[in-house]
Amino acid sequence: MTVIGVARETAAGERRVALTPETCRKLVAAGATVRVERGLGRGAHFPDEAYAEAGAQLLDGADAVRDGADVVLCVQAPEPAAIARLRPGAVLVGTLQPEADPAR
């Protein structure tokens, strides 16, 4: 079973989310376990209840969501320390902008 983790975005003014409740529902229906950080959709007007109804596990804290995840979804690249804590072999999907930070 694939575990997908989605943490809240922390960039100033970022209102987008990497996962909507509708897409969450589809991933859960396909057999994935989806973990989202509480408050994930606040800026995009998706309440936690919508994610829970879609089958997501609501967790407190970005580390709890990403810990052990097979796939991590994001809009903005996580901090380098958060990337370093991903499990070996995990896939990070998002707008990572590698040209902005060659070390990343």
Side-chain angles (χ1 to χ4, degrees):
M1 180 176 344
T2 300
V3 176
I4 300 169
V6 190
R8 289 183 295 128
E9 296 295 324
T10 59
E14 182 61 76
R15 297 169 53 105
R16 297 173 294 172
V17 293
L19 183 73
T20 65
E22 178 183 350
T23 304
C24 176
R25 184 178 322 280
K26 291 175 183 178
L27 291 170
V28 170
T33 297
V34 177
R35 301 187 309 206
V36 302
E37 183 178 4
R38 290 184 195 283
L40 168 70
R42 188 175 299 131
H45 305 289
F46 295 122
D48 286 344
E49 294 78 19
Y51 287 99
E53 289 171 7
Q57 299 173 359
L58 291 150
L59 301 175
D60 294 315
D63 288 339
V65 169
R66 294 182 188 127
D67 185 40
D70 301 303
V71 178
V72 175
L73 305 179
C74 60
V75 174
Q76 301 285 333
E79 294 296 320
I83 294 171
R85 286 192 299 271
L86 295 178
R87 74 162 188 76
V91 175
L92 179 61
V93 179
T95 308
L96 303 179
Q97 303 173 1
E99 72 285 350
D101 183 355
R104 184 174 52 228

